Amino acid sequence: MTSDRWDPAAFKARVDGVLHRFVAQEAGRFAEIDPALGPVADQLEAVVADGKRLRAAFCYWGWRAAGQPDSDALVRAAASMELVHAAAVVHDDLIDDSPLRHGRPTAHIALRAAVRRRPRAVAAARSLAMLVGDLLMGLAGQLFTTSGLPAAYLARARPLWSVLARELIAGECLEILRTGAEPDTAASLKVIRYKTAKYTVEQPLLIGGTLGGAGGRLREGCSAYGLPLGEAFQLRDDLLGLFGDPARTGKADADDVRGHRPTALLAETWRLADDADRERLRTLLGRRDLDEDGLRAVREVMRRLKAPDRVESMIAARVEEALGALDALDVPPHAAAALTELAHSAAVRPF
């Protein structure tokens, strides 16, 4: 993809090529240290095997919005955003004890095979997964700094990495602290903003724009577009997580309910519920042994109270806000068109 026409499939193939080559090389070097490290090295590659590459795309179009041309070096830098995501996924799945991702066992589940004859094998596998996530975050910085972009360009964007890491970890911490608490929509939206919205859309877009020399007004516009769109992305994920088809989402559909996580969908349900509905929810939320009948009962309460419709309205309002911010910016037409398409692909995904 070297023209101004946005071709998502071609861009994904470029990013996949960068990631797979880079991670395979690093996994090989890691495994050379000791044969016992082979299963850990395999997980490095497994975690980056799939993905829509949205974060890389937002970084790329931040660069193009700043008036810069297509660049293989920039694609390498943008691919580093996907390694940040891979690290966050491993840690998030570990925190949430999620069994599936992209239809395959998550890292902490897959790594049990490597330690099945060891004492406390489950804890050992979780520790290995934590270290996989740590290594992926380190590799993200390495790929960024060795992307081939001029040192002066990289120096402009480097401070944003500490912001990205601080806000992402703050969001994860807030989710842990809010898990199991009485649902509250404002608190849930704050978790969404810091855990997902910022590192999915806003920060990649800002990093790309800053690499490309974006001025203050464009950077402000990136945030005005990126924050509501990132929130819409996670709100859609919340709906898909409970009402989507696991065969399509690749995730277990009971995780949020069994974990009593602070999703906006649950918070809106709680806000709309009467005393009887709340009492019913209290008996179901957070139960690790929740069966399909219990999950169906939670969905029934949500549908009856029209909580999914309320979340759909929240998504639509945020997409509209993001596109309004984009319309107010003076960016090249091809960048505006691509960012418009990305907004719809991020927030409108099939069940």
Side-chain angles (χ1 to χ4, degrees):
M1 187 199 69
T2 57
S3 73
D4 286 341
R5 186 177 63 84
W6 174 227
D7 184 340
F11 179 78
K12 182 182 183 306
R14 288 175 78 184
V15 174
D16 283 347
V18 168
L19 286 173
H20 295 162
R21 286 190 299 272
F22 176 76
V23 175
Q25 183 180 55
E26 291 300 322
R29 289 171 176 165
F30 185 78
E32 285 172 2
I33 295 171
D34 191 288
L37 294 171
V40 182
D42 289 345
Q43 282 306 302
L44 289 173
E45 295 192 76
V47 173
V48 300
D50 299 300
K52 296 177 283 293
R53 311 311 185 200
L54 278 174
R55 292 155 187 85
F58 284 118
C59 184
Y60 177 85
W61 284 106
W63 165 270
R64 298 299 304 273
Q68 296 284 1
D70 181 75
S71 161
D72 286 337
L74 188 280
V75 171
R76 283 179 58 82
S80 70
M81 300 292 101
E82 297 299 328
L83 292 179
V84 172
H85 176 52
V89 160
V90 172
H91 287 154
D92 195 46
D93 288 341
L94 183 59
I95 292 165
D96 293 341
D97 201 23
S98 297
L100 292 174
R101 174 75 64 165
H102 296 298
R104 294 194 300 269
T106 49
H108 66 280
I109 300 296
L111 284 164
R112 289 180 184 178
V115 292
R116 63 179 177 272
R117 294 186 179 89
R118 306 291 193 277
R120 301 180 65 245
V122 171
R126 292 176 66 85
S127 297
L128 288 174
M130 177 184 68
L131 294 168
V132 167
D134 292 346
L135 182 52
L136 285 165
M137 187 62 88
L139 292 178
Q142 180 184 336
L143 181 57
F144 183 78
T145 56
T146 61
S147 62
L149 288 172
Y153 287 34
L154 295 171
R156 289 196 294 240
R158 193 169 293 120
L160 294 176
W161 275 77
S162 61
V163 177
L164 182 154
R166 178 172 64 246
E167 293 180 339
L168 172 56
I169 293 171
E172 288 282 9
C173 290
L174 285 172
E175 182 177 58
I176 292 168
L177 293 166
R178 289 293 309 173
T179 292
E182 182 167 304
D184 176 83
T185 300
S188 293
L189 290 174
K190 191 166 191 177
V191 170
I192 284 172
R193 172 164 287 208
Y194 283 92
K195 182 191 168 188
T196 302
K198 283 176 167 286
Y199 100 91
T200 297
V201 186
E202 183 200 25
Q203 288 297 340
L205 199 59
L206 281 172
I207 287 171
T210 302
L211 285 169
R217 186 169 184 276
L218 179 55
R219 292 195 302 272
E220 290 173 4
C222 286
S223 290
Y225 164 92
L227 277 173
L229 182 57
E231 290 178 2
F233 174 87
Q234 184 56 47
L235 289 167
R236 174 63 62 200
D237 247 24
D238 290 349
L239 284 174
L240 289 170
L242 190 53
F243 291 97
D245 179 0
R248 299 184 69 168
T249 65
K251 302 176 187 179
D253 59 358
D255 280 2
D256 287 347
V257 177
R258 287 179 180 152
H260 196 171
R261 294 177 193 152
T263 66
L265 175 60
L266 176 56
E268 282 298 287
T269 302
W270 192 264
R271 185 180 65 81
L272 297 165
D274 60 19
D275 290 343
D277 284 326
R278 288 185 177 186
E279 187 58 35
R280 178 67 172 141
L281 290 170
R282 284 191 187 97
T283 67
L284 297 168
L285 296 173
R287 284 181 50 180
R288 304 306 297 178
D289 63 345
L290 186 75
D291 59 15
E292 190 59 38
D293 287 341
L295 190 59
R296 192 179 301 113
V298 173
R299 290 193 186 107
E300 191 278 326
V301 171
M302 289 179 168
R303 287 194 179 104
R304 178 164 46 77
L305 297 175
K306 300 190 183 303
D309 294 341
R310 172 61 186 150
V311 174
E312 287 284 4
S313 296
M314 294 164 71
I315 292 169
R318 282 160 173 77
V319 172
E320 183 178 359
E321 181 182 349
L323 293 177
L326 179 61
D327 287 343
L329 287 174
D330 182 20
V331 299
H334 55 274
L339 288 169
T340 298
E341 185 174 338
L342 278 167
H344 290 294
S345 63
V348 183
R349 286 171 281 156
F351 281 76

